[in-house]
Amino acid sequence: AQSVTQLGSHVSVSEGALVLLRCNYSSSVPPYLFWYVQYPNQGLQLLLKYTTGATLVKGINGFEAEFKKSETSFHLTKPSAHMSDAAEYFCAVSASNNDMRFGAGTRLTVKP
Amino acid sequence: KAGVTQTPRYLIKTRGQQVTLSCSPISGHRSVSWYQQTPGQGLQFLFEYFSETQRNKGNFPGRFSGRQFSNSRSEMNVSTLELGDSALYLCASSLPEGSIGPTQYFGPGTRLTVL
């Protein structure tokens, strides 16, 4: 069975600062990994995904994540935070079609 | 392509009533999954349907049920509502079998409030 742990339920950064949201996974088979973002009272929007191939994955809105098998990590980064990045972010893992497990989420606050 | 749509967006019910939520997947997507999201429990998987068959089921009581129609649209039903059923219910659709890397696309959700 696979699972995801997101380190830090709340992260606060200043506008223009680096964003780093941490995600560690557990999976008995090669995983598919995802990051989603959720704005208040909305559904989840896919930011990026790792399936196979290049371990550095680029997503929308300037976000990227790196799959590190040795560390079982898939941390999300953005070089420069913008006020519009304030939202909740979810890491998810799937080892087979649609058996997707989500982390508890990290709420990102961006200070002006 | 139009995204995943869910109706209604907001719903208020009283304890003991039942409710039906609807989800229309992205055109061509045959798998539909349902999730319950609450502040305390986070995102919890309810069930997944593919080609009108339930393939996976989460750990929810039998009051929660669903179905999928031949056009891939899905409904979920909650009977005998309890206060704890108040939540955002999210539907997600994904590409057909054999796609590389299952990716779920979410609708905006239905906010259910049970009074």
Side-chain angles (χ1 to χ4, degrees):
Chain A
Q2 60 274 16
S3 65
V4 162
T5 301
Q6 290 185 240
L7 303 174
S9 58
H10 290 89
V11 170
S12 181
V13 300
S14 297
E15 192 173 19
L18 171 72
V19 175
L20 171 60
L21 305 183
R22 300 178 187 274
C23 172
N24 286 91
Y25 70 90
S26 172
S27 179
S28 56
V29 296
Y32 301 117
L33 294 159
F34 307 82
W35 275 100
Y36 287 88
V37 60
Q38 185 179 33
Y39 299 99
N41 294 314
Q42 294 187 26
L44 276 66
Q45 180 183 5
L46 180 68
L47 276 177
L48 49 81
K49 66 178 180 180
Y50 168 79
T51 54
T52 59
T55 57
L56 182 62
V57 181
K58 294 187 184 299
I60 62 171
N61 301 338
F63 284 94
E64 62 181 36
E66 186 171 9
F67 170 61
K68 291 187 176 181
K69 185 178 178 181
S70 60
E71 298 177 9
T72 61
S73 69
F74 190 57
H75 301 331
L76 181 71
T77 61
K78 182 174 180 177
S80 176
H82 192 272
M83 296 297 291
S84 62
D85 295 327
E88 188 145 22
Y89 292 79
F90 293 91
C91 182
V93 62
S94 178
S96 63
N97 197 26
N98 293 321
D99 183 13
M100 185 172 282
R101 308 297 172 92
F102 287 86
T106 297
R107 183 167 299 280
L108 175 66
T109 301
V110 182
K111 298 174 293 186
Chain B
K1 272 187 184 178
V4 178
T5 58
Q6 292 186 246
T7 57
R9 290 293 312 278
Y10 302 91
L11 206 49
I12 299 175
K13 292 286 188 179
T14 56
R15 280 181 299 173
Q17 287 187 307
Q18 75 165 16
V19 67
T20 299
L21 312 181
S22 181
C23 172
S24 293
I26 293 171
S27 177
H29 287 195
R30 292 166 58 194
S31 171
V32 173
S33 298
W34 289 90
Y35 295 86
Q36 181 195 65
Q37 186 178 29
T38 59
Q41 300 296 321
L43 273 160
Q44 293 187 282
F45 172 72
L46 280 156
F47 29 65
E48 184 237 353
Y49 286 87
F50 178 80
S51 292
E52 303 178 65
T53 301
Q54 187 181 87
R55 284 201 303 192
N56 294 306
K57 189 177 189 303
N59 189 26
F60 276 81
R63 299 186 297 108
F64 292 81
S65 63
R67 59 177 176 169
Q68 187 180 35
F69 302 94
S70 58
N71 62 357
S72 294
R73 190 177 71 85
S74 177
E75 289 181 346
M76 68 162 281
N77 184 276
V78 188
S79 62
T80 319
L81 284 166
E82 300 176 0
L83 294 179
D85 297 333
S86 294
L88 181 67
Y89 289 88
L90 292 165
C91 164
S93 74
S94 61
L95 288 166
E97 288 279 350
S99 302
I100 296 176
T103 303
Q104 297 191 5
Y105 298 90
F106 284 80
T110 293
R111 172 75 62 186
L112 172 65
T113 302
V114 182
L115 302 176

